Amino acid sequence: MRTQAALYDAIDLELSWSEQELPERERTKHVHRLHPYLGKFVPQLVEVFLKRYAKPGQLVWDPFAGSGTTLVEANAFGARAAGCDVSAFNCLLMRAKTGAYESSDLLADVVRLSEGGSAKARIPKSPYLRAWFAPRSLTELVSFRSRIDGTAYPELWKVVLSRAARSARLARHDDLDFPAEPVAAEYFCHKHRRVCRPVGEADKFLRRYVRDAVQRVQEFADVRSREQVSVIHADARLHDPPGPVDLVLTSPPYPGLIDYHEQHAYAYELLGLERRDAEEIGRGVKGYCEDLAAVFSRARRSLRRGGKIVIVVNDRRGLYDGILASAGLRLEERLVRHVNRRTGRRKGEFYEEVLIATP
Ligand SMILES: C[S@@+](CC[C@H](N)C(=O)[O-])C[C@H]1O[C@@H](n2cnc3c(N)ncnc32)[C@H](O)[C@@H]1O
């Protein structure tokens, strides 16, 4: 592991942007802000490595594709993109982000969704949903869900439904990432610095996010290429990319940091998605290095001659030298970037490493 001084010496300024150089609206441009997702990398970082190591038409593979940052940027760059994730919700989100949309069909869907729900939409019995939503919010969400059937773009509207559900949960505004328990009464909110009330409706979020989603997919349509994007719902330890790969660009889960299923628990409940928690890597330290080595040895075997493996990670436990060696990879470069965190509970200095590996 590096000392703090060595860390400062190694900072790669081309990869370390200030808020002024890279404002939030750029980091969250078009589909990148279709739905909140904790633990994604900034699209501009992906852009840098696509330009350094890929060419249009080549295949870019992300075995831990998450919210699809690599896939979206690789497509805009003109490369073929394939990504795998064990989380069904993440795969849904990636498909919604990378889909092709016709304006006339989007409009027809919006009209259909705004036509008022079937009054008979049944309120689910799920104890989770009943605990986390006010009765009116749950009725509105379920009613919207019943209108998604028969739309041209069900995946996009499911993502909108999930985003609205996230905002309408009985969660504190200052604790939306992993709220511990539902809030029943007024509370002092550290985010808004005032007393806030639990949310009692969902329709206002649904309307806002339908509009926002349409705008975002239309903005992405301006830069989207016709290159193929494949989203694979699988365990990356057991799944190969769909062909020889030119560049692997990924950020793996890290032990004990984020529970990727749990952060979207409301979406799994509301959309009836299958949870595969047991296959999620990083839930503990045990077995982590072997799991990562298995994924990266698959990546190595699929790599074309001259191809690179780029891994973005905060390797605070110094695990990656061993992981790469076990996967039969050689570390060419270890770059350090300063991550700009502006506000909130996660503020403070934070560094991330970019490992460039080859067979
Ligand atoms: C750090 S996140 C990737 C974020 C991504 N770079 C982005 O910008 O959205 C790691 C991802 O690995 C996924 N993951 C965990 N275990 C996995 C497994 N066994 N196979 C495939 N994906 C897995 C998690 O669901 C999570 O989405």
Side-chain angles (χ1 to χ4, degrees):
M1 260 188 284
R2 290 175 199 257
T3 62
Q4 194 69 1
L7 195 74
Y8 284 120
D9 284 345
I11 291 175
D12 186 321
L13 292 178
E14 205 199 329
L15 308 177
S16 307
W17 297 276
S18 67
E19 182 61 25
Q20 247 177 350
E21 289 167 317
L22 189 55
E24 187 175 1
R25 65 167 187 284
E26 287 298 317
R27 301 193 303 266
T28 57
K29 61 185 176 180
H30 52 71
V31 290
H32 291 299
R33 173 68 61 88
L34 201 57
H35 191 285
Y37 176 98
L38 204 62
K40 61 176 165 224
F41 42 36
V42 289
Q44 286 74 15
L45 190 62
V46 176
E47 239 176 276
V48 168
F49 291 105
L50 287 167
K51 283 184 189 149
R52 281 192 197 174
Y53 299 129
K55 291 192 176 61
Q58 291 188 332
L59 179 61
V60 178
W61 168 240
D62 186 347
F64 300 112
S67 68
T69 314
T70 298
L71 273 51
V72 169
E73 287 304 314
N75 174 273
F77 175 77
R80 288 176 294 129
C84 165
D85 205 285
V86 76
S87 146
F89 176 75
N90 295 351
C91 292
L92 173 76
L93 179 55
M94 287 192 263
R95 291 193 183 105
K97 283 183 173 180
T98 55
Y101 297 93
E102 280 293 334
S103 293
S104 54
D105 291 337
L106 276 173
L107 186 64
D109 277 4
V110 171
V111 171
R112 184 184 174 95
L113 292 167
S114 63
E115 271 169 350
S118 73
K120 293 202 184 72
R122 289 223 327 267
I123 300 302
K125 292 213 166 59
S126 150
Y128 176 96
L129 293 176
R130 288 180 177 228
W132 279 97
F133 294 95
R136 176 174 161 195
S137 307
L138 193 51
T139 310
E140 291 171 354
L141 292 167
V142 172
S143 162
F144 184 91
R145 189 181 67 184
S146 71
R147 277 172 273 152
I148 290 177
D149 286 341
T151 55
Y153 304 118
E155 283 163 340
L156 180 64
W157 310 125
K158 284 180 185 173
V159 167
V160 167
L161 175 66
S162 166
R163 187 176 174 193
R166 185 179 187 277
S167 299
R169 281 174 308 171
L170 293 173
R172 297 175 58 104
H173 299 144
D174 52 13
D175 189 21
L176 288 173
D177 290 337
F178 289 104
E181 52 189 34
V183 278
E186 290 181 344
Y187 59 95
F188 184 79
C189 171
H190 296 284
K191 181 174 170 190
H192 299 118
R193 294 182 192 283
R194 58 175 158 79
V195 172
C196 283
R197 282 198 188 86
V199 181
E201 62 153 322
D203 268 350
K204 67 174 179 192
F205 298 114
L206 287 163
R207 281 196 297 273
R208 190 187 304 166
Y209 298 152
V210 164
R211 271 200 304 276
D212 186 67
V214 169
Q215 199 178 329
R216 287 180 183 281
V217 297
Q218 287 184 327
E219 278 168 23
F220 182 53
D222 292 340
V223 289
R224 189 180 179 280
S225 71
R226 288 170 180 268
E227 294 294 337
Q228 196 182 357
V229 181
S230 316
V231 175
I232 302 152
H233 181 204
D235 182 341
R237 289 169 296 190
L238 307 174
H239 204 90
D240 283 321
V245 170
D246 299 282
L247 172 65
V248 177
L249 187 38
T250 193
S251 63
Y254 208 72
L257 276 190
I258 298 174
D259 186 326
Y260 288 96
H261 279 82
E262 201 49 38
Q263 74 161 301
H264 302 122
Y266 51 92
Y268 283 89
E269 288 287 337
L270 202 52
L271 297 169
L273 300 171
E274 177 209 1
R275 287 183 69 140
R276 292 171 63 167
D277 298 59
E279 292 160 82
E280 188 179 308
I281 297 175
R283 297 170 69 79
V285 185
K286 198 163 168 276
Y288 178 80
C289 294
E290 293 76 7
D291 289 341
L292 264 287
V295 174
F296 286 119
S297 24
R298 266 181 197 277
R300 173 181 51 77
R301 289 196 297 271
S302 312
L303 205 63
R304 278 191 213 272
R305 185 184 284 268
K308 304 269 187 208
I309 299 189
V310 177
I311 307 163
V312 180
V313 72
N314 175 7
D315 189 15
R316 62 180 71 165
R317 297 174 206 249
L319 304 176
Y320 272 76
D321 285 336
I323 291 172
L324 295 182
S326 313
L329 290 167
R330 193 174 62 82
L331 184 63
E332 255 185 12
E333 259 185 295
R334 192 184 262 268
L335 309 169
V336 180
R337 83 177 203 97
H338 177 250
V339 180
N340 177 33
R341 275 187 181 163
R342 295 162 311 139
T343 51
R345 294 179 173 195
R346 299 167 77 207
K347 78 177 163 213
E349 295 299 305
F350 182 75
Y351 299 90
E352 198 168 67
E353 287 174 279
V354 184
L355 315 179
I356 317 287
T358 51

